[in-house]
Each structure stands twice: as C-alpha cells, then as structure tokens.
Amino acid sequence: MKKKMWIESVIPDEILLRQGKYIQTCAHLEKVLWQILFDAEGYDVRNDEDVHAALSQRKVTQELTKGLRLAIAVGKVKFPEQVTAILDEIDQDIDNRHMAVHGAWFMRPEGTLTCEYFKNFGTKKKPDWKVYSNPISLEQIDHALLAADRLLGEAIKTWAAIREQRDNARSTGHDRKPRE
C-alpha cells in the first residue's frame, strides 16, 4: 500500500495534478522560448561563453523574456509579432506561475482553496514584500492551465516555423554571410 504524503492532507490530488500539469507546461513553454532566443542570438553550443550566456537567460523567466524582447527590438527574432504576443501574455500572467511554483497551497476546511506567497509590490531597487493570499477557484486554475497550454502550442508552432525557415535558408545557401 502506498503511504500518503503529508501534502495530500492539505491539497486534494486533483489540485496537485493540475498544478503539476501547469508547472510542466510553463517549463516547456520557457524551454521553447529559450530555443527561439538561442537561435536568434546565433549561440554556438560548442562555445562555453555562448552556452553560459544562453543558460543564464533561461534560469529566470523575466531574464528570458527580456532577452527575447531585446533580440526582437534589434531584428534578430523571426516571426516577432507571434513571439511578442506570447511574451506579453507570459508577463501579464507571471503571478500565476509564481504562485504555482513558489506558493503554499491549502484547501481550507470550508472547501476554499488558497495560495499564500510573498509578492513584491514595490520595485527591484525598493522592494515592498507582502504576504499575498487570495481564494482561488477550480475555474481559475483550469483557465490558467488552458492558457498555458495554448501558449505552449503557439510557441511550438512558431519555433517550428523559425526552424523551417532557417533550414530552408541553409539548404539554398541564403544564410551565408557575404564575404568581405
């Protein structure tokens, strides 16, 4: 017989499953966006400095989105409108991701689901950290999960189009830099 984990005493399995799906969907979304940035920056996996630069941008979601926005601004990212739309939605919903990953979730005795986490209501230079806790409905969880899944699908399609365009350019020789 499987021993029940402590966390199962405060959060129902159905919530834990949804939370796990959401977290993994967000992780895969970030991975695909990182691949788009890696391609846009022309990083070389054989170069330690390139790998370090790329990995440092992947570690924190805000650094990844900032790196992609900078690459878009200088014209390095193909299909910039699609990538920008994905980034805008990620930035808009970043609190959901933070709550899912860093929050302490509870099912109250009356059946209300809450998530407690700390949120900076100030700036990076002048932080104003406060406990942030609100009731959360199953509908809100499902909405966030479906939105993350949709964004992942859009990111995968965009990354596939970028790869296809890159591979076509390579096969026709259009990706070569002119000789000086």
Side-chain angles (χ1 to χ4, degrees), residues 151-173:
L151 285 177
L152 175 57
E154 291 172 14
I156 289 169
K157 286 180 202 168
T158 303
W159 173 230
I162 290 169
R163 280 193 336 257
E164 182 180 355
Q165 192 177 69
R166 181 196 61 214
D167 293 347
N168 288 341
R170 283 182 181 160
S171 69
T172 61

PDB file of all heavy atoms in Angstrom, residues 151-173:
ATOM      1  N   LEU A 151      -0.537  28.753 -25.091  1.00  0.00           N
ATOM      2  CA  LEU A 151       0.717  29.467 -25.352  1.00  0.00           C
ATOM      3  C   LEU A 151       1.834  28.511 -25.753  1.00  0.00           C
ATOM      4  O   LEU A 151       2.620  28.815 -26.652  1.00  0.00           O
ATOM      5  CB  LEU A 151       1.155  30.267 -24.118  1.00  0.00           C
ATOM      6  CG  LEU A 151       0.394  31.541 -23.837  1.00  0.00           C
ATOM      7  CD1 LEU A 151       0.890  32.180 -22.539  1.00  0.00           C
ATOM      8  CD2 LEU A 151       0.529  32.518 -24.991  1.00  0.00           C
ATOM      9  N   LEU A 152       1.893  27.366 -25.096  1.00  0.00           N
ATOM     10  CA  LEU A 152       2.905  26.371 -25.465  1.00  0.00           C
ATOM     11  C   LEU A 152       2.693  25.924 -26.905  1.00  0.00           C
ATOM     12  O   LEU A 152       3.649  25.841 -27.683  1.00  0.00           O
ATOM     13  CB  LEU A 152       2.868  25.169 -24.509  1.00  0.00           C
ATOM     14  CG  LEU A 152       3.809  24.015 -24.859  1.00  0.00           C
ATOM     15  CD1 LEU A 152       5.263  24.461 -24.946  1.00  0.00           C
ATOM     16  CD2 LEU A 152       3.637  22.888 -23.842  1.00  0.00           C
ATOM     17  N   GLY A 153       1.454  25.677 -27.293  1.00  0.00           N
ATOM     18  CA  GLY A 153       1.160  25.290 -28.673  1.00  0.00           C
ATOM     19  C   GLY A 153       1.582  26.364 -29.661  1.00  0.00           C
ATOM     20  O   GLY A 153       2.176  26.080 -30.704  1.00  0.00           O
ATOM     21  N   GLU A 154       1.289  27.630 -29.328  1.00  0.00           N
ATOM     22  CA  GLU A 154       1.689  28.732 -30.203  1.00  0.00           C
ATOM     23  C   GLU A 154       3.212  28.846 -30.290  1.00  0.00           C
ATOM     24  O   GLU A 154       3.760  29.090 -31.367  1.00  0.00           O
ATOM     25  CB  GLU A 154       1.082  30.043 -29.698  1.00  0.00           C
ATOM     26  CG  GLU A 154      -0.425  30.112 -29.867  1.00  0.00           C
ATOM     27  CD  GLU A 154      -1.061  31.318 -29.191  1.00  0.00           C
ATOM     28  OE1 GLU A 154      -0.336  32.262 -28.808  1.00  0.00           O
ATOM     29  OE2 GLU A 154      -2.302  31.307 -29.046  1.00  0.00           O
ATOM     30  N   ALA A 155       3.877  28.669 -29.177  1.00  0.00           N
ATOM     31  CA  ALA A 155       5.346  28.743 -29.169  1.00  0.00           C
ATOM     32  C   ALA A 155       5.955  27.609 -29.988  1.00  0.00           C
ATOM     33  O   ALA A 155       6.915  27.823 -30.741  1.00  0.00           O
ATOM     34  CB  ALA A 155       5.870  28.714 -27.734  1.00  0.00           C
ATOM     35  N   ILE A 156       5.402  26.416 -29.871  1.00  0.00           N
ATOM     36  CA  ILE A 156       5.907  25.275 -30.645  1.00  0.00           C
ATOM     37  C   ILE A 156       5.726  25.523 -32.134  1.00  0.00           C
ATOM     38  O   ILE A 156       6.644  25.277 -32.931  1.00  0.00           O
ATOM     39  CB  ILE A 156       5.210  23.969 -30.193  1.00  0.00           C
ATOM     40  CG1 ILE A 156       5.703  23.563 -28.800  1.00  0.00           C
ATOM     41  CG2 ILE A 156       5.455  22.841 -31.200  1.00  0.00           C
ATOM     42  CD1 ILE A 156       4.903  22.444 -28.150  1.00  0.00           C
ATOM     43  N   LYS A 157       4.563  26.025 -32.531  1.00  0.00           N
ATOM     44  CA  LYS A 157       4.324  26.328 -33.951  1.00  0.00           C
ATOM     45  C   LYS A 157       5.290  27.399 -34.454  1.00  0.00           C
ATOM     46  O   LYS A 157       5.822  27.299 -35.565  1.00  0.00           O
ATOM     47  CB  LYS A 157       2.885  26.813 -34.162  1.00  0.00           C
ATOM     48  CG  LYS A 157       1.840  25.735 -34.073  1.00  0.00           C
ATOM     49  CD  LYS A 157       0.457  26.335 -34.292  1.00  0.00           C
ATOM     50  CE  LYS A 157      -0.595  25.447 -33.697  1.00  0.00           C
ATOM     51  NZ  LYS A 157      -1.904  26.082 -33.612  1.00  0.00           N
ATOM     52  N   THR A 158       5.515  28.419 -33.640  1.00  0.00           N
ATOM     53  CA  THR A 158       6.423  29.499 -34.036  1.00  0.00           C
ATOM     54  C   THR A 158       7.847  28.979 -34.148  1.00  0.00           C
ATOM     55  O   THR A 158       8.552  29.279 -35.125  1.00  0.00           O
ATOM     56  CB  THR A 158       6.338  30.667 -33.026  1.00  0.00           C
ATOM     57  OG1 THR A 158       4.975  31.108 -32.957  1.00  0.00           O
ATOM     58  CG2 THR A 158       7.237  31.818 -33.443  1.00  0.00           C
ATOM     59  N   TRP A 159       8.280  28.187 -33.185  1.00  0.00           N
ATOM     60  CA  TRP A 159       9.630  27.620 -33.222  1.00  0.00           C
ATOM     61  C   TRP A 159       9.785  26.709 -34.436  1.00  0.00           C
ATOM     62  O   TRP A 159      10.819  26.724 -35.111  1.00  0.00           O
ATOM     63  CB  TRP A 159       9.910  26.885 -31.914  1.00  0.00           C
ATOM     64  CG  TRP A 159      11.201  26.113 -31.873  1.00  0.00           C
ATOM     65  CD1 TRP A 159      11.342  24.814 -31.488  1.00  0.00           C
ATOM     66  CD2 TRP A 159      12.525  26.557 -32.203  1.00  0.00           C
ATOM     67  NE1 TRP A 159      12.664  24.435 -31.563  1.00  0.00           N
ATOM     68  CE2 TRP A 159      13.406  25.493 -32.001  1.00  0.00           C
ATOM     69  CE3 TRP A 159      13.030  27.757 -32.669  1.00  0.00           C
ATOM     70  CZ2 TRP A 159      14.775  25.589 -32.241  1.00  0.00           C
ATOM     71  CZ3 TRP A 159      14.396  27.854 -32.914  1.00  0.00           C
ATOM     72  CH2 TRP A 159      15.242  26.779 -32.692  1.00  0.00           C
ATOM     73  N   ALA A 160       8.753  25.939 -34.758  1.00  0.00           N
ATOM     74  CA  ALA A 160       8.809  25.068 -35.945  1.00  0.00           C
ATOM     75  C   ALA A 160       8.943  25.905 -37.213  1.00  0.00           C
ATOM     76  O   ALA A 160       9.720  25.565 -38.125  1.00  0.00           O
ATOM     77  CB  ALA A 160       7.565  24.179 -36.006  1.00  0.00           C
ATOM     78  N   ALA A 161       8.212  27.011 -37.296  1.00  0.00           N
ATOM     79  CA  ALA A 161       8.297  27.886 -38.472  1.00  0.00           C
ATOM     80  C   ALA A 161       9.679  28.529 -38.572  1.00  0.00           C
ATOM     81  O   ALA A 161      10.232  28.652 -39.674  1.00  0.00           O
ATOM     82  CB  ALA A 161       7.214  28.960 -38.404  1.00  0.00           C
ATOM     83  N   ILE A 162      10.239  28.930 -37.440  1.00  0.00           N
ATOM     84  CA  ILE A 162      11.587  29.509 -37.436  1.00  0.00           C
ATOM     85  C   ILE A 162      12.610  28.482 -37.912  1.00  0.00           C
ATOM     86  O   ILE A 162      13.466  28.775 -38.752  1.00  0.00           O
ATOM     87  CB  ILE A 162      11.952  30.030 -36.022  1.00  0.00           C
ATOM     88  CG1 ILE A 162      11.123  31.271 -35.700  1.00  0.00           C
ATOM     89  CG2 ILE A 162      13.454  30.328 -35.907  1.00  0.00           C
ATOM     90  CD1 ILE A 162      11.198  31.710 -34.239  1.00  0.00           C
ATOM     91  N   ARG A 163      12.520  27.271 -37.386  1.00  0.00           N
ATOM     92  CA  ARG A 163      13.458  26.201 -37.799  1.00  0.00           C
ATOM     93  C   ARG A 163      13.309  25.893 -39.276  1.00  0.00           C
ATOM     94  O   ARG A 163      14.306  25.716 -39.984  1.00  0.00           O
ATOM     95  CB  ARG A 163      13.207  24.934 -36.970  1.00  0.00           C
ATOM     96  CG  ARG A 163      13.816  24.964 -35.614  1.00  0.00           C
ATOM     97  CD  ARG A 163      13.829  23.602 -34.920  1.00  0.00           C
ATOM     98  NE  ARG A 163      12.840  22.668 -35.376  1.00  0.00           N
ATOM     99  CZ  ARG A 163      11.721  22.357 -34.736  1.00  0.00           C
ATOM    100  NH1 ARG A 163      11.434  22.915 -33.599  1.00  0.00           N
ATOM    101  NH2 ARG A 163      10.875  21.488 -35.224  1.00  0.00           N
ATOM    102  N   GLU A 164      12.065  25.820 -39.742  1.00  0.00           N
ATOM    103  CA  GLU A 164      11.834  25.524 -41.154  1.00  0.00           C
ATOM    104  C   GLU A 164      12.435  26.621 -42.035  1.00  0.00           C
ATOM    105  O   GLU A 164      13.108  26.332 -43.028  1.00  0.00           O
ATOM    106  CB  GLU A 164      10.345  25.379 -41.435  1.00  0.00           C
ATOM    107  CG  GLU A 164      10.037  25.031 -42.882  1.00  0.00           C
ATOM    108  CD  GLU A 164       8.546  24.880 -43.155  1.00  0.00           C
ATOM    109  OE1 GLU A 164       7.743  24.950 -42.218  1.00  0.00           O
ATOM    110  OE2 GLU A 164       8.203  24.696 -44.334  1.00  0.00           O
ATOM    111  N   GLN A 165      12.201  27.860 -41.659  1.00  0.00           N
ATOM    112  CA  GLN A 165      12.757  28.980 -42.431  1.00  0.00           C
ATOM    113  C   GLN A 165      14.291  28.950 -42.405  1.00  0.00           C
ATOM    114  O   GLN A 165      14.940  29.151 -43.425  1.00  0.00           O
ATOM    115  CB  GLN A 165      12.228  30.291 -41.865  1.00  0.00           C
ATOM    116  CG  GLN A 165      12.491  31.485 -42.753  1.00  0.00           C
ATOM    117  CD  GLN A 165      11.888  32.739 -42.177  1.00  0.00           C
ATOM    118  OE1 GLN A 165      12.367  33.225 -41.160  1.00  0.00           O
ATOM    119  NE2 GLN A 165      10.831  33.246 -42.810  1.00  0.00           N
ATOM    120  N   ARG A 166      14.868  28.682 -41.246  1.00  0.00           N
ATOM    121  CA  ARG A 166      16.323  28.601 -41.114  1.00  0.00           C
ATOM    122  C   ARG A 166      16.874  27.452 -41.947  1.00  0.00           C
ATOM    123  O   ARG A 166      17.864  27.602 -42.668  1.00  0.00           O
ATOM    124  CB  ARG A 166      16.707  28.434 -39.646  1.00  0.00           C
ATOM    125  CG  ARG A 166      18.221  28.371 -39.423  1.00  0.00           C
ATOM    126  CD  ARG A 166      18.589  27.829 -38.065  1.00  0.00           C
ATOM    127  NE  ARG A 166      18.090  26.476 -37.930  1.00  0.00           N
ATOM    128  CZ  ARG A 166      17.641  25.931 -36.802  1.00  0.00           C
ATOM    129  NH1 ARG A 166      17.601  26.639 -35.705  1.00  0.00           N
ATOM    130  NH2 ARG A 166      17.217  24.696 -36.768  1.00  0.00           N
ATOM    131  N   ASP A 167      16.246  26.289 -41.851  1.00  0.00           N
ATOM    132  CA  ASP A 167      16.723  25.117 -42.596  1.00  0.00           C
ATOM    133  C   ASP A 167      16.606  25.330 -44.101  1.00  0.00           C
ATOM    134  O   ASP A 167      17.487  24.921 -44.856  1.00  0.00           O
ATOM    135  CB  ASP A 167      15.960  23.863 -42.163  1.00  0.00           C
ATOM    136  CG  ASP A 167      16.280  23.463 -40.727  1.00  0.00           C
ATOM    137  OD1 ASP A 167      17.259  23.991 -40.140  1.00  0.00           O
ATOM    138  OD2 ASP A 167      15.532  22.632 -40.174  1.00  0.00           O
ATOM    139  N   ASN A 168      15.517  25.982 -44.536  1.00  0.00           N
ATOM    140  CA  ASN A 168      15.369  26.287 -45.962  1.00  0.00           C
ATOM    141  C   ASN A 168      16.455  27.243 -46.430  1.00  0.00           C
ATOM    142  O   ASN A 168      17.008  27.090 -47.521  1.00  0.00           O
ATOM    143  CB  ASN A 168      13.988  26.870 -46.264  1.00  0.00           C
ATOM    144  CG  ASN A 168      12.889  25.838 -46.178  1.00  0.00           C
ATOM    145  OD1 ASN A 168      13.140  24.636 -46.229  1.00  0.00           O
ATOM    146  ND2 ASN A 168      11.659  26.299 -46.027  1.00  0.00           N
ATOM    147  N   ALA A 169      16.763  28.241 -45.607  1.00  0.00           N
ATOM    148  CA  ALA A 169      17.822  29.206 -45.962  1.00  0.00           C
ATOM    149  C   ALA A 169      19.171  28.501 -46.050  1.00  0.00           C
ATOM    150  O   ALA A 169      19.974  28.775 -46.954  1.00  0.00           O
ATOM    151  CB  ALA A 169      17.866  30.336 -44.945  1.00  0.00           C
ATOM    152  N   ARG A 170      19.417  27.569 -45.140  1.00  0.00           N
ATOM    153  CA  ARG A 170      20.688  26.837 -45.164  1.00  0.00           C
ATOM    154  C   ARG A 170      20.790  25.955 -46.406  1.00  0.00           C
ATOM    155  O   ARG A 170      21.844  25.865 -47.021  1.00  0.00           O
ATOM    156  CB  ARG A 170      20.828  25.966 -43.912  1.00  0.00           C
ATOM    157  CG  ARG A 170      21.204  26.747 -42.700  1.00  0.00           C
ATOM    158  CD  ARG A 170      21.387  25.855 -41.504  1.00  0.00           C
ATOM    159  NE  ARG A 170      21.727  26.659 -40.338  1.00  0.00           N
ATOM    160  CZ  ARG A 170      21.593  26.257 -39.106  1.00  0.00           C
ATOM    161  NH1 ARG A 170      21.131  25.053 -38.837  1.00  0.00           N
ATOM    162  NH2 ARG A 170      21.922  27.044 -38.110  1.00  0.00           N
ATOM    163  N   SER A 171      19.683  25.324 -46.762  1.00  0.00           N
ATOM    164  CA  SER A 171      19.732  24.405 -47.904  1.00  0.00           C
ATOM    165  C   SER A 171      19.907  25.142 -49.229  1.00  0.00           C
ATOM    166  O   SER A 171      20.417  24.588 -50.189  1.00  0.00           O
ATOM    167  CB  SER A 171      18.480  23.524 -47.944  1.00  0.00           C
ATOM    168  OG  SER A 171      17.342  24.288 -48.265  1.00  0.00           O
ATOM    169  N   THR A 172      19.497  26.407 -49.265  1.00  0.00           N
ATOM    170  CA  THR A 172      19.654  27.192 -50.501  1.00  0.00           C
ATOM    171  C   THR A 172      20.871  28.106 -50.452  1.00  0.00           C
ATOM    172  O   THR A 172      21.154  28.814 -51.418  1.00  0.00           O
ATOM    173  CB  THR A 172      18.395  28.057 -50.754  1.00  0.00           C
ATOM    174  OG1 THR A 172      18.227  28.958 -49.657  1.00  0.00           O
ATOM    175  CG2 THR A 172      17.160  27.201 -50.937  1.00  0.00           C
ATOM    176  N   GLY A 173      21.565  28.109 -49.291  1.00  0.00           N
ATOM    177  CA  GLY A 173      22.757  28.932 -49.161  1.00  0.00           C
ATOM    178  C   GLY A 173      22.470  30.381 -48.837  1.00  0.00           C
ATOM    179  O   GLY A 173      23.377  31.217 -48.847  1.00  0.00           O
TER     180      GLY A 173
END
